Amino acid sequence: MSFIYLWQNREKSHIFSWFWLKQWAKRILYFPKLITVLKTKFLLKIRGTKIGSVSIISNKSRIEGSLHKLTIGDCTFIGQAYLAIHADIRIGSFVVINDGVKLLTASHDVNDPSWSSFAQPIIIDDYAWIATDAIILPGVHIGKGAIVGAGAVVTKNIPEYNIAVGNPAKLLDKQRVQQLKYNPAQLVACYEAWLGKY
């Protein structure tokens, strides 16, 4: 499905022009990476994950648990992350999740004498950016366009367009711009070779 999308939406130029030759050289050069991306998506899909078009998940991500509880929207980029799926993880469209991020849907109740475990969903809305090495704990909802800073540990919901940093994560006084219209998947070389620069 993704390759069909790339073919139908490919950047076109005059045949045998300098730009056309350059395009096809890039497509051939990045074709092995494209195959890896498509294979990773395919393997996740056949195990129950719902993934939108042109989304990318690193084949070096560690994904454990019930894959049918993972939903990813369109044009989302997930780097070398760790996803522990004991409850639903719902990731929107145009989301960026950088390397080293951990999404943890389960933990233990420290106030319970028997130290019982619990699981709660994680929801990440469209255009959110989770920076390198951030940790998102069970039950957290990251609002549309919100940013989680590098290394932050998020224990509470982050409202739309807010920026959270630190351990535990706290909101900054400033907000992110709200007219977001980028496609993070198109910034990845194997997709950019087909779709052109964003």
Side-chain angles (χ1 to χ4, degrees):
M1 187 68 166
S2 287
F3 189 74
I4 293 167
Y5 176 90
L6 292 175
W7 180 260
Q8 291 173 341
N9 295 282
R10 72 190 184 280
E11 186 178 35
K12 297 174 186 167
S13 57
H14 294 293
I15 192 163
F16 299 121
S17 68
W18 171 248
F19 189 70
W20 182 87
L21 291 169
K22 192 174 166 184
Q23 276 178 325
W24 280 98
K26 281 170 92 175
R27 289 170 184 169
I28 292 166
L29 177 67
Y30 291 114
F31 192 72
K33 177 63 177 170
L34 178 62
I35 294 301
T36 301
V37 166
L38 298 179
K39 178 183 169 189
T40 302
K41 281 181 67 172
F42 175 75
L43 292 174
L44 288 171
K45 280 184 173 183
I46 63 172
R47 294 176 63 197
T49 300
K50 294 172 224 45
I51 307 175
S53 65
V54 199
S55 286
I56 296 176
I57 304 170
S58 171
N59 64 321
K60 295 179 181 171
S61 287
R62 267 183 62 208
I63 303 175
E64 298 174 355
S66 306
L67 288 172
H68 67 277
K69 294 181 178 179
L70 176 60
T71 303
I72 301 165
D74 298 327
C75 304
T76 285
F77 172 83
I78 300 174
Q80 297 177 34
Y82 172 64
L83 284 67
I85 313 170
H86 303 284
D88 289 349
I89 295 179
R90 294 193 299 274
I91 301 168
S93 297
F94 306 101
V95 172
V96 175
I97 297 178
N98 288 129
D99 292 346
V101 169
K102 295 179 178 68
L103 304 181
L104 308 174
T105 57
S107 189
H108 292 272
D109 185 351
V110 295
N111 295 317
D112 182 356
S114 62
W115 200 52
S116 61
S117 63
F118 65 91
Q120 294 177 327
I122 291 174
I123 300 168
I124 301 173
D125 290 340
D126 298 348
Y127 287 104
W129 173 20
I130 316 298
T132 305
D133 293 329
I135 300 173
I136 312 297
L137 296 181
V140 168
H141 182 173
I142 308 293
K144 181 177 181 179
I147 296 175
V148 174
V153 177
V154 183
T155 60
K156 296 178 182 171
N157 295 344
I158 308 298
E160 290 185 353
Y161 304 106
N162 275 256
I163 302 169
V165 297
N167 178 8
K170 296 194 182 330
L171 300 180
L172 296 181
D173 291 334
K174 62 180 180 178
Q175 286 194 335
R176 190 180 191 189
V177 64
Q178 296 188 16
Q179 291 74 34
L180 300 170
K181 55 182 181 179
Y182 57 87
N183 178 350
Q186 199 169 337
L187 300 173
V188 178
C190 64
Y191 281 175
E192 185 212 309
W194 289 89
L195 303 173
K197 287 195 182 293
Y198 186 75

